[in-house]
Amino acid sequence: MTPESVLHHTFGYQQFRGQQAEIIQHVLNNGDALVLMPTGGGKSLCYQIPAIVRQGVAIVVSPLIALMQDQVTALLQLGIRAAFVNSMLSNEDARTVFGQLRRNELDLLYVAPERLMTESFLEFLNKIPVSLFAIDEAHCVSQWGHDFRPEYRQLSILHERFPHIPRLALTATADELTRQEIIEHLQLQQGKVFVTGFDRPNIRYQVVPKTKNPKMQLLAFLNREHRNDTGIVYCLSRKKVEDTAEWLQQQGWNALPYHAGLETAVRQKHQDIFLKQESVIIVATIAFGMGIDKPNVRFVAHLDLPKSLEAYYQETGRAGRDGLPSNAWMAYGMGDIFTLGRFIDSSDASPQHKSLERHKLNAMLGYCEMTTCRRQALLSYFGDHLPDPCGNCDTCLDPVPTWDATETAQKALSCIYRTGQQFGVNHLINVLLGKLDEKVQKFQHQQVSTFGIGKELDEDKWKSVYRQLAAAGYITVDVEGYGGLKLHDKARPLLRGEQTLRLRLDSYESKTARPKPERPKFIGADKALWAALQAKRKDLAEVQGIAPYMIFHDSTLKEMVYYRPGTLQELRRINGVGQLKLERYGQQFLNILDDYQDIPDQHNLMSSSVAQNRLSETVNLTLEAFKRGLTPEQIAEQRKLKLTTVYTHFSELIAEEIVELDEIMLDDIEIAEIEETLLAMDDMTNLKPAHEYLGEEYDYGIIKCVRANLQKSM
């Protein structure tokens, strides 16, 4: 067998992605390697295919029992000989697995590092042919990381005991320091490092400042963009997890809590529901998530600030593993800074470790408050380079206005100084606003020069100022002083008027018109076929007690809708349909497809002949991409076109009644605003006045789409 034949025959994919082929060949040539590849980028294939091609069994080190079980179940669906050994196995089942190993009946064995490191297990490995060692989630080796597992550091013994067996360490999250730790502690100095990039272009990043009711902010986000979707909500404390899950249930959402304090059976039940059912929201601490392979998680939301960009990247990376548009949404405020700072300072870590944690928290704060492209900053943190702004984060889609905040910042800093550098933000704001409450009177702060000098801003705006000053390093939070704010040396030039300062003008929710991330969107017969295929997949999964995505991913079903295969041979050419799945499920899905073969579908209507809809070839190419589920931004990127050009294509499609305006997901209020402006114009053929009247907030192409929709009804 060759790697290519395994890819086609077993996994059902037509070609390798990125550096997969090079990595696989390196391992087949007995080379060691460290592989950094983004979540959903196909890391597992880099060791699974060599495991099938090489003689012997591949030993896969995996940190979590749930992860092992999911991966083995998915491999068995593909007809791959795989098993796991962990504490959940009965003695009888364990004996069965070891018997398979002795008879050379397994290609992959998943094992926890604790089990692998036992002398009895290492001695057993000496008696069987081992093809390779794959160390998954290799960032767990880093003592500075958020998923540190001390047992991972013992894995250097593999090089000492089995020097001629290739070792492959894999992770999606590792900055330069973590990479060096992995190489050092796993003794991979002679191995090759493959860095395939950290970008997840299908994920849209958005950060909003917390209001007094962040749960309502979360609800607005869910209602606006993720009705009936599967997602994860992260909270910092167990109590907040339970409160948020209960509150979402009261609002009509299928939300379940998950944290380490729950009984094991409850945690396992909730995770099982999340993996096997759709439209489920898990509200969790960071105890949930590592190794979650569910591909169609459409959003990850943070109600509290992660402690580092590594943690943030790892957690948001659990969205959109199928490559389809997904959201990473976060709300944060000054309270998060105090809470995380208290965690750091009260820990038993060394001063060096605390200093590094502070540095990572500051980098996280800087990310939240930035006015430039978030994706560029996130990738840069990991040593990756994105030459141009991504066009798919809030700061790109809604360019952040700034204002000269020099005088305002001086008032804020002076108030900290005049009150003795020992009070929290709420008290400082009360002083600035001139509120004569009990605490102000107790400390006689109505006598200080800053009392009442800040009435030009409201409470929320002052919170924004203090939060940004903290993120920029002008002030620090005194954890031992119960959250009091203190001036940093950096504040002196600003207070003296020796420098100026511009701050972002905060918006608590995104307001500009733009398409929302959407899963595959079908209409007419396509929509009915999509639902029928999903129902069949769900039925097959329930019979076997497995997650539906283990039958076929959404992307595979989407291709079935798009290409409408009519024979087993044609179905075999769909990505994700390997030989065994073709034999097991092919005819059942063909039967459903056959029911829809005589019903005209949107794809065939528009692609069989450009002349049928009188539109140009380039407009039809945009239409084809849109029917495949791509957003206008993704179409522009894929086709190397300006976004305005793509929206202009949509205006033609709307005029021909091939696409509806609401399909490109403009907000009703925004549509109404543009319509009113256009109707007030004497001449709708000249869009420049409308564009200027709307403050140049909307793309010309979007205005053309609304105009086309208006003209249909005139």
Side-chain angles (χ1 to χ4, degrees):
M1 290 184 291
T2 65
E4 291 76 12
S5 66
V6 174
L7 181 74
H8 302 331
H9 183 274
T10 304
F11 292 93
Y13 295 113
Q14 305 308 311
Q15 59 187 12
F16 286 111
R17 287 188 287 166
Q19 292 182 288
Q20 282 179 328
E22 184 182 353
I23 295 167
I24 289 168
Q25 193 57 55
H26 180 73
V27 175
L28 292 177
N29 292 337
N30 286 323
D32 296 333
L34 168 60
V35 174
L36 289 91
M37 189 178 289
T39 304
K43 290 189 300 295
S44 298
L45 286 180
C46 294
Y47 62 82
Q48 289 170 347
I49 289 181
I52 296 169
V53 174
R54 289 176 68 95
Q55 294 297 313
V57 61
I59 305 299
V60 184
V61 182
S62 183
L64 293 178
I65 290 174
L67 173 58
M68 295 183 206
Q69 294 172 330
D70 286 349
Q71 291 189 327
V72 168
T73 301
L75 289 171
L76 293 174
Q77 284 289 314
L78 293 165
I80 296 171
R81 306 183 304 172
F84 59 81
V85 175
N86 59 40
S87 58
M88 299 296 289
L89 281 185
S90 66
N91 290 335
E92 182 179 349
D93 288 338
R95 283 194 296 271
T96 299
V97 171
F98 281 103
Q100 290 175 303
L101 288 169
R102 291 189 188 93
R103 296 188 297 272
N104 198 24
E105 293 175 355
L106 292 177
D107 294 313
L108 293 107
L109 178 74
Y110 288 76
V111 61
E114 299 88 343
R115 174 66 68 94
L116 177 60
M117 287 299 99
T118 61
E119 186 59 33
S120 60
F121 196 91
L122 291 170
E123 282 296 326
F124 180 81
L125 293 183
N126 276 320
K127 301 173 185 177
I128 62 173
V130 176
S131 60
L132 63 95
F133 290 103
I135 303 168
D136 204 6
E137 309 290 352
H139 61 275
C140 291
V141 78
S142 173
Q143 66 172 325
W144 312 111
H146 55 289
D147 289 325
F148 177 49
R149 295 282 292 269
E151 303 83 5
Y152 263 66
R153 295 204 157 194
Q154 302 171 25
L155 295 175
S156 59
I157 198 173
L158 297 178
H159 178 60
E160 299 161 9
R161 297 279 290 263
F162 308 95
H164 303 299
I165 297 176
R167 292 166 302 133
L168 188 62
L170 309 102
T171 180
T173 313
D175 59 10
E176 188 58 40
L177 177 62
T178 303
R179 293 179 214 178
Q180 293 307 315
E181 280 198 275
I182 294 172
I183 291 170
E184 176 186 351
H185 291 288
L186 298 183
Q187 296 189 29
L188 288 170
Q189 289 87 346
Q190 304 305 313
K192 188 171 181 178
V193 178
F194 294 89
V195 181
T196 64
F198 291 86
D199 193 12
R200 298 287 307 284
N202 61 309
I203 295 180
R204 175 172 292 172
Y205 299 99
Q206 182 181 0
V207 181
V208 298
K210 281 184 182 177
T211 63
K212 291 181 179 179
N213 193 341
K215 285 191 290 192
M216 287 301 296
Q217 289 177 282
L218 172 66
L219 184 64
F221 163 71
L222 296 178
N223 280 327
R224 184 176 67 246
E225 302 197 27
H226 290 290
R227 271 287 173 194
N228 303 315
D229 280 342
T230 293
I232 304 171
V233 177
Y234 283 112
C235 302
L236 205 53
S237 70
R238 297 175 182 180
K239 183 178 187 305
K240 190 169 182 179
V241 162
E242 294 186 0
D243 289 347
T244 303
E246 182 180 359
W247 185 80
L248 285 174
Q249 290 167 8
Q250 292 169 356
Q251 309 307 311
W253 296 80
N254 186 8
L256 300 170
Y258 186 105
H259 59 73
L262 293 174
E263 293 182 7
T264 302
V266 174
R267 286 204 316 273
Q268 183 58 48
K269 177 185 176 183
H270 289 182
Q271 179 166 301
D272 200 51
I273 291 172
F274 176 78
L275 290 173
K276 293 180 181 177
Q277 297 182 20
E278 301 303 331
S279 305
V280 177
I281 296 175
I282 282 283
V283 185
T285 59
I286 58 172
F288 177 83
M290 185 191 290
I292 292 300
D293 283 335
K294 191 176 179 75
N296 62 336
V297 175
R298 293 274 68 87
F299 69 88
V300 169
H302 284 87
L303 277 180
D304 294 305
L305 189 70
K307 65 181 181 180
S308 69
L309 282 170
E310 289 97 331
Y312 175 72
Y313 179 83
Q314 183 87 359
E315 289 152 18
T316 57
R318 288 155 193 160
R321 293 173 62 95
D322 53 10
L324 298 177
S326 305
N327 258 319
W329 180 92
M330 175 168 60
Y332 99 103
M334 279 294 294
D336 297 330
I337 303 172
F338 170 67
T339 301
L340 290 173
R342 185 181 60 196
F343 285 171
I344 294 170
D345 288 358
S346 62
S347 74
D348 296 329
S350 67
Q352 181 189 12
H353 197 163
K354 288 183 179 180
S355 176
L356 182 62
E357 290 297 303
R358 277 283 183 190
H359 170 75
K360 292 187 173 188
L361 177 56
N362 289 337
M364 187 73 239
L365 294 176
Y367 170 84
C368 292
E369 293 295 353
M370 69 189 312
T371 59
T372 53
C373 174
R374 294 197 194 279
R375 195 182 311 273
Q376 282 182 314
L378 189 59
L379 298 183
S380 176
Y381 183 83
F382 291 104
D384 202 355
H385 178 62
L386 187 67
D388 299 308
C390 72
N392 194 32
C393 69
D394 54 356
T395 51
C396 284
L397 292 162
D398 298 316
V400 180
T402 62
W403 58 292
D404 184 349
T406 306
E407 183 179 341
T408 301
Q410 289 170 338
K411 291 180 181 180
L413 297 172
S414 181
C415 194
I416 295 173
Y417 180 76
R418 298 294 177 188
T419 55
Q421 302 190 65
Q422 56 183 318
F423 295 93
V425 66
N426 290 329
H427 179 71
L428 293 169
I429 291 173
N430 285 341
V431 173
L432 287 164
L433 293 176
K435 293 184 177 180
L436 200 61
D437 65 3
E438 181 180 344
K439 191 171 181 181
V440 168
Q441 294 182 69
K442 175 182 177 181
F443 292 99
Q444 294 292 299
H445 284 162
Q446 72 271 30
Q447 304 297 330
V448 300
S449 59
T450 53
F451 182 77
I453 67 169
K455 293 181 179 179
E456 72 276 12
L457 299 184
D458 62 20
E459 183 179 338
D460 284 336
K461 289 187 173 65
W462 274 117
K463 283 184 178 179
S464 173
V465 170
Y466 274 116
R467 196 181 62 248
Q468 293 186 65
L469 288 172
Y474 291 101
I475 58 179
T476 58
V477 180
D478 183 5
V479 175
E480 293 182 357
Y482 303 98
L485 300 186
K486 299 172 72 71
L487 298 180
H488 190 276
D489 289 344
K490 182 179 177 181
R492 288 176 182 172
L494 185 57
L495 271 170
R496 292 172 181 164
E498 296 170 1
Q499 69 179 62
T500 59
L501 178 69
R502 296 192 70 82
L503 295 179
R504 58 183 289 147
L505 188 62
D506 269 327
S507 169
Y508 288 83
E509 290 298 342
S510 177
K511 294 179 181 178
T512 60
R514 65 173 186 264
K516 300 168 187 173
E518 283 291 308
R519 57 183 177 272
K521 189 176 182 70
F522 299 111
I523 59 176
D526 286 349
K527 185 176 182 180
L529 174 56
W530 170 252
L533 293 173
Q534 284 184 305
K536 171 54 67 175
R537 179 179 64 176
K538 181 181 179 183
D539 291 344
L540 291 169
E542 286 180 350
V543 169
Q544 300 176 66
I546 62 175
Y549 68 82
M550 292 180 180
I551 305 290
F552 290 125
H553 282 197
D554 280 359
S555 55
T556 300
L557 297 189
K558 186 175 75 169
E559 285 197 21
M560 291 184 193
V561 174
Y562 185 71
Y563 292 111
R564 300 284 185 92
T567 65
L568 286 173
Q569 185 177 5
E570 291 176 356
L571 184 61
R572 181 66 180 79
R573 290 199 290 268
I574 298 291
N575 274 307
V577 183
Q579 187 59 40
L580 185 64
K581 287 192 176 183
L582 184 73
E583 295 170 3
R584 284 182 175 176
Y585 311 122
Q587 192 57 54
Q588 296 178 72
F589 280 88
L590 272 185
N591 291 341
I592 294 173
L593 287 160
D594 285 344
D595 292 339
Y596 290 83
Q597 288 294 357
D598 296 329
I599 304 175
D601 65 277
Q602 298 300 315
H603 164 62
N604 288 331
L605 277 176
M606 60 88 177
S607 63
S608 59
S609 171
V610 171
Q612 286 185 348
N613 61 26
R614 301 181 300 170
L615 297 175
S616 66
E617 182 179 358
T618 186
V619 175
N620 275 283
L621 288 172
T622 292
L623 178 58
E624 288 194 25
F626 183 63
K627 292 306 179 184
R628 294 200 305 273
L630 298 185
T631 65
E633 290 91 348
Q634 291 171 323
I635 296 169
E637 180 180 359
Q638 184 184 85
R639 299 196 58 207
K640 308 300 181 188
L641 298 173
K642 292 181 179 179
L643 188 58
T644 299
T645 303
V646 173
Y647 275 120
T648 300
H649 293 171
F650 278 109
S651 71
E652 295 184 47
L653 293 165
I654 291 168
E656 291 291 321
E657 300 186 358
I658 297 172
V659 170
E660 296 296 327
L661 180 61
D662 61 3
E663 288 188 75
I664 59 173
M665 301 308 293
L666 297 181
D667 186 271
D668 289 344
I669 296 174
E670 295 157 348
I671 292 174
E673 181 182 16
I674 299 172
E675 285 182 344
E676 288 173 6
T677 302
L678 289 171
L679 290 169
M681 297 293 165
D682 293 330
D683 181 12
M684 276 201 290
T685 60
N686 181 11
L687 294 181
K688 186 176 180 180
H691 185 249
E692 292 175 349
Y693 182 82
L694 291 163
E696 299 183 355
E697 185 177 348
Y698 300 101
D699 187 282
Y700 268 108
I702 290 177
I703 300 174
K704 288 180 181 178
C705 289
V706 177
R707 180 182 65 182
N709 193 61
L710 267 177
Q711 290 174 333
K712 282 195 308 181
S713 59
M714 286 181 164

